[in-house]
């Protein structure tokens, strides 16, 4: 089939962003969140290996269309409002990886934790557009406000800025709808694309297009469940453990859900997380905190499964049941 093109105002062509993930005609309103124990990063021998591990986790989450990644700070608490070095590193690399390349300079400040992040393989997610691609939706950063208190000019990684009529905070990351065809107008003496400010969930909810993940840090299990960004909370929770229920992928059935959460412990599992958690008085072991507590690789040939391996194995194992139960 021939390559689809979009024409800019100057006659040059922009490729349609259809060569990555195809958007479906039906939107997806359900979400899948993944929580990962930060102690897996502590197991890395140095910063370079820790960065590589964090990058593998980011890639695994993008591959399986994960909408939220929670860094579960599962080690001993250093006190209120403190974040372990491992959790901070994992969260920074996750945010770096999820941010489109053309926005990183404006949005991601330089930090020693990101010394090796530039060597990681990219997510190549649908919202990581190239300058020659056109898409109805695009991520951008507010570059400046219009004259006389007008709207805002948004850098969207194209030759021209986009323009929205609302005045927004400079440096803020936004999601824009630019339409299926470029609509070019003149504003303050500049040629710009006409854009509309939308929710970051619009591409997923309206077109079924994966649009990256949110990142947050949960200091404990209480924060993991109670600080859910979705209004009604998680209505499906799945814990993973070698001590969990054994079943096959084809026979697994999950209850219908709108917002699912799958939780992975660090090298010592979710049991280690519970040992250092304020909720340890409620239960002596983790399974009661979840609707399903599963062993997704019960015929393993190795004594241990690393966290980054467990995410890939478990998400592939759960995928059929998740698709069927999503509402």
């Amino acid at each position: 089939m021939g390559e689809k093109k979009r024409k800019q105002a100057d006659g040059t062509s922009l490729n349609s962003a259809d060569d990555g993930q195809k958007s479906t005609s039906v939107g997806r309103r359900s979400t899948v969140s993944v929580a990962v124990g930060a102690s897996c990063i502590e197991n890395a021998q140095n910063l370079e290996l820790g960065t590589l591990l964090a990058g593998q986790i980011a890639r695994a989450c993008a591959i399986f269309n994960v909408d939220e990644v929670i860094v579960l700070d599962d080690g001993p608490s250093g006190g209120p409002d403190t974040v372990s070095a491992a959790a901070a590193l994992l969260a920074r690399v996750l945010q770096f990886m999820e941010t489109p390349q053309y926005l990183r300079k404006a949005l991601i400040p330089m930090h020693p934790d990101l010394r090796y992040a530039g060597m990681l393989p990219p997510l190549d997610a649908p919202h990581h557009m190239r300058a020659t691609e056109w898409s109805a939706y695009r991520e951008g950063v507010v570059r400046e406000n219009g004259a006389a208190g007008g709207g805002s000019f948004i850098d969207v990684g194209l030759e021209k800025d986009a323009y929205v009529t609302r005045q927004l905070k400079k440096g803020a990351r936004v999601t824009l709808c630019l339409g299926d065809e470029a609509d070019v107008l003149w504003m303050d003496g500049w040629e710009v694309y006409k854009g509309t400010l939308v929710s970051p969930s619009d591409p997923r909810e309206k077109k079924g297009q994966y649009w990256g993940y949110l990142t947050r840090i949960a200091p404990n299990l209480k924060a993991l469940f109670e600080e859910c960004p979705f209004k009604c909370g998680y209505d499906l929770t799945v814990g993973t453990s070698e001590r969990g229920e054994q079943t096959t992928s084809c026979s697994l059935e999950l209850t219908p859900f709108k917002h699912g959460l799958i939780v992975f412990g660090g090298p010592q599992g979710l049991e280690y997380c519970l040992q250092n958690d304020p909720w340890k008085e409620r239960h002596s072991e983790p399974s009661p905190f979840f609707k399903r507590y599963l062993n997704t690789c019960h015929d393993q040939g190795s004594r241990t499964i690393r966290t980054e391996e467990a995410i890939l194995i478990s998400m592939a194992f759960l995928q059929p049941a998740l698709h069927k139960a999503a509402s």
Side-chain angles (χ1 to χ4, degrees):
M1 294 178 64
E3 188 180 45
K4 292 185 180 179
K5 304 283 186 182
R6 300 291 185 201
K7 293 289 185 181
Q8 298 191 85
D10 58 6
T12 58
S13 61
L14 287 172
N15 299 340
S16 173
D18 289 346
D19 52 342
Q21 173 180 314
K22 302 274 185 184
S23 63
T24 62
S25 58
V26 180
R28 173 173 65 90
R29 302 195 68 85
S30 62
T31 64
V32 174
S33 300
V34 162
V36 183
S39 57
C40 67
I41 298 294
E42 292 177 344
N43 220 30
Q45 295 177 335
N46 53 44
L47 176 61
E48 185 174 1
L49 293 176
T51 302
L52 177 62
L53 172 56
Q56 290 174 319
I57 292 171
R59 287 273 307 165
C61 289
I63 287 169
F64 289 101
N65 301 314
V66 171
D67 304 293
E68 180 195 24
V69 184
I70 307 108
V71 178
L72 181 56
D73 204 353
D74 56 347
S77 175
D81 301 322
T82 60
V83 176
S84 69
L89 171 61
L90 179 53
R92 283 194 180 96
V93 174
L94 287 169
Q95 289 176 328
F96 176 89
M97 292 282 286
E98 191 277 336
T99 303
Q101 290 89 330
Y102 60 87
L103 297 181
R104 287 175 182 169
K105 185 176 181 180
L107 294 176
I108 306 292
M110 294 182 64
H111 193 278
D113 280 354
L114 299 176
R115 179 179 176 185
Y116 299 105
M119 300 190 302
L120 295 172
L123 290 192
D124 204 20
H127 66 304
H128 286 207
M129 304 288 179
R130 295 163 180 83
T132 55
E133 289 178 326
W134 183 266
S135 174
Y137 295 99
R138 206 170 179 101
E139 290 294 286
V141 61
V142 180
R143 189 171 58 81
E144 63 181 4
N145 295 128
S152 303
F153 292 91
I154 316 290
D155 178 5
V156 290
L158 296 172
E159 290 184 0
K160 302 176 181 63
D161 283 347
Y163 180 82
V164 297
T165 55
R166 285 181 57 182
Q167 194 167 45
L168 305 169
K169 183 179 178 181
K170 185 178 178 180
R173 177 174 169 177
V174 295
T175 305
L176 297 185
C177 179
L178 301 178
D180 293 328
E181 299 285 347
D183 186 359
V184 179
L185 50 87
W186 282 88
M187 190 61 59
D188 294 350
W190 295 93
E191 264 194 345
V192 294
Y193 295 116
K194 181 181 179 181
T196 304
L197 190 68
V198 297
S199 167
S201 63
D202 263 31
R204 168 178 55 83
E205 293 181 350
K206 294 184 177 180
K207 289 199 169 186
Q209 189 174 21
Y210 180 60
W211 208 249
Y213 53 76
L214 302 171
T215 304
R216 69 180 175 97
I217 297 176
N220 48 52
L221 289 172
K222 182 176 186 293
L224 172 64
F225 293 111
E226 295 185 354
E227 295 178 12
C228 171
F230 307 110
K231 186 175 180 180
C232 298
Y234 304 113
D235 49 358
L236 172 67
T237 53
V238 178
T240 60
S241 172
E242 62 181 5
R243 299 170 183 82
E245 170 193 353
Q246 296 185 12
T247 185
T248 61
S249 178
C250 59
S251 63
L252 176 64
E253 292 190 1
L254 300 173
T255 56
F257 72 94
K258 288 186 178 179
H259 304 296
L261 171 66
I262 299 116
V263 185
F264 299 89
Q268 299 181 61
L270 289 172
E271 290 77 13
Y272 173 74
C273 174
L274 186 59
Q275 289 175 12
N276 301 300
D277 197 277
W279 275 6
K280 64 183 178 182
E281 304 299 332
R282 292 191 176 191
H283 301 286
S284 59
E285 50 99 18
S287 63
F289 293 103
F290 303 95
K291 288 189 175 180
R292 298 298 295 269
Y293 197 61
L294 300 173
N295 181 347
T296 58
C297 188
H298 44 82
D299 291 326
Q300 64 193 67
S302 172
R303 291 189 183 92
T304 57
I305 296 178
R306 297 172 60 88
T307 302
E308 67 275 24
E309 297 166 343
I311 294 173
L312 286 168
I313 294 168
S314 299
M315 293 306 293
F317 179 94
L318 293 168
Q319 204 72 354
L322 288 172
H323 280 306
K324 187 176 179 181
S327 59

